Amino acid sequence: MAPRPLAIRPPERNLTIPLPTPSEKTAIYPQRERGRTVEQTHSRLMQLPLELRQMIYRAVLGDSTMHMILKRNKLGHLRCKAPSALECPLGYNGRTLSRECCWGTVDSANIWSPMSGNVDEPTDGNIIPFLQTCRQIYSESIDFLYSTNCFSFSDLDCLRYFSCTTLPARFALIQTLDIEWCMSWPIYDPIAQALLLSNPALYPPHDEATWEETWRIIADMPNLKFIRASLLYFDGFRDPGCEERMLAPLRKATTPKRFEVHVSWAGDEIEGAPFQLIRPIRHDPDFEDEEW
């Protein structure tokens, strides 16, 4: 189900300005012609100062939460309909994980399915046509798509695929990540995994290797400013040492100025981590307030 990695494109197909000069052409693609660029002097948009155009680009492309989703053999993205990521929680409808207020449901393989039932429903948020208008608009606006949006993931494979199907220079511009991951079984717990009676006990993307690779990718993102990771599991860790091994890959992500890790189970506080670990509020059963 994995999408194909980003293809190596010849320099003649670059969308951004300036285009390569004939002397920069490689001998590998001598038969290709350079893309044609037409001056946009008659465009009302291009007659505006660059500062005003950038404000328009950001309003069209940025300042939203982009839910990255897995489709069959490719990725998709949906602009969040909620005012913020906090108001668009990942829920369970008794059958599967869903964001019913926003984009629909996923199946057992985390493949997205829209509420309408139309699997061919477009998921580009009307962004792609704007970027394809002309090279100047693409060149001036593309950075806002990556640098000003929050990219939301609810599947580890989705993030890994996104990193290898996006130009490295674009992927490096991302500043905000929102990750929600439901663990199907405790990782780094050999006793719990022995109960599954299978070899290997855990399969991707629920295994330790996928977990570590995901956070290696995140740790290498140079411009991250905020990460919110919400880790969901129906029960707590049997051994605090297993939890520590599970959180160890997160310690490598030291770039963000703000890094929150929300977990759904109780436990002890940790020290010396680059993130703030937020556990559920404990309720004292011995405390009773007569006013309540």
Side-chain angles (χ1 to χ4, degrees):
M1 302 303 297
R4 294 180 179 179
L6 190 67
I8 299 176
R9 292 178 287 184
E12 291 82 356
R13 295 186 61 193
N14 285 349
L15 294 177
T16 50
I17 297 175
L19 292 175
T21 62
S23 61
E24 294 173 338
K25 287 187 176 182
T26 62
I28 302 177
Y29 308 101
Q31 74 282 6
R32 293 182 181 269
E33 296 183 1
R34 291 181 61 201
R36 187 165 61 106
T37 301
V38 180
E39 293 291 338
Q40 303 293 328
T41 54
H42 298 292
S43 169
R44 294 291 183 89
L45 176 63
M46 295 308 168
Q47 292 174 6
L48 296 174
L50 177 60
E51 292 78 5
L52 291 180
R53 297 202 301 270
Q54 289 176 337
M55 294 173 63
I56 294 173
Y57 299 148
R58 181 162 184 165
V60 174
L61 300 175
D63 296 326
S64 299
T65 296
M66 295 294 182
H67 294 301
M68 305 305 298
I69 56 175
L70 285 174
K71 303 177 75 174
R72 294 197 176 275
N73 300 316
K74 60 183 178 179
L75 297 176
H77 69 274
L78 294 163
R79 179 171 285 184
C80 186
K81 299 176 183 178
S84 69
L86 294 175
E87 299 177 70
C88 183
L90 184 68
Y92 184 74
N93 60 10
R95 180 174 54 87
T96 182
L97 295 174
S98 68
R99 293 185 191 270
E100 294 186 2
C101 68
C102 191
W103 55 248
T105 62
V106 294
D107 62 15
S108 58
N110 277 342
I111 303 299
W112 170 78
S113 176
M115 295 298 293
S116 64
N118 178 18
V119 295
D120 296 324
E121 182 176 322
T123 60
D124 62 7
N126 293 324
I127 289 176
I128 303 301
F130 176 78
L131 292 172
Q132 292 177 333
T133 303
C134 72
R135 281 190 171 90
Q136 184 171 350
I137 287 179
Y138 180 90
S139 302
E140 293 178 351
S141 65
I142 187 62
D143 287 358
F144 291 103
L145 177 63
Y146 293 93
S147 63
T148 66
N149 286 310
C150 171
F151 287 83
S152 172
F153 298 88
S154 57
D155 181 89
L156 301 185
D157 276 344
C158 189
L159 191 150
R160 294 169 56 241
Y161 297 154
F162 184 59
S163 70
C164 68
T165 55
T166 305
L167 285 172
R170 308 291 186 220
F171 187 74
L173 293 174
I174 296 175
Q175 299 184 19
T176 307
L177 283 181
D178 185 79
I179 302 170
E180 291 185 301
W181 180 236
C182 297
M183 289 184 285
S184 61
W185 201 253
I187 55 179
Y188 301 101
D189 190 334
I191 295 180
Q193 294 180 22
L195 299 175
L196 297 177
L197 302 178
S198 60
N199 187 22
L202 300 177
Y203 291 87
H206 301 280
D207 61 325
E208 290 90 345
T210 303
W211 177 253
E212 294 172 4
E213 172 67 9
T214 299
W215 286 101
R216 185 199 62 78
I217 293 171
I218 295 173
D220 289 340
M221 298 173 69
N223 292 302
L224 278 180
K225 294 183 178 178
F226 175 64
I227 301 177
R228 187 187 69 155
S230 300
L231 309 180
L232 310 176
Y233 179 56
F234 67 90
D235 198 359
F237 277 81
R238 174 190 58 82
D239 182 359
C242 297
E243 181 191 69
E244 177 59 30
R245 289 193 290 274
M246 184 273 294
L247 294 174
L250 282 66
R251 292 178 177 269
K252 299 179 181 178
T254 57
T255 302
K257 297 179 179 178
R258 185 181 171 193
F259 187 177
E260 297 179 358
V261 178
H262 300 255
V263 298
S264 61
W265 59 87
D268 299 328
E269 298 296 325
I270 62 173
E271 298 179 357
F275 51 82
Q276 178 187 9
L277 185 64
I278 302 174
R279 299 185 185 273
I281 299 176
R282 293 183 178 182
H283 297 281
D284 189 351
D286 297 329
F287 176 78
E288 294 182 1
D289 192 334
E290 295 181 356
E291 295 181 0
W292 292 93

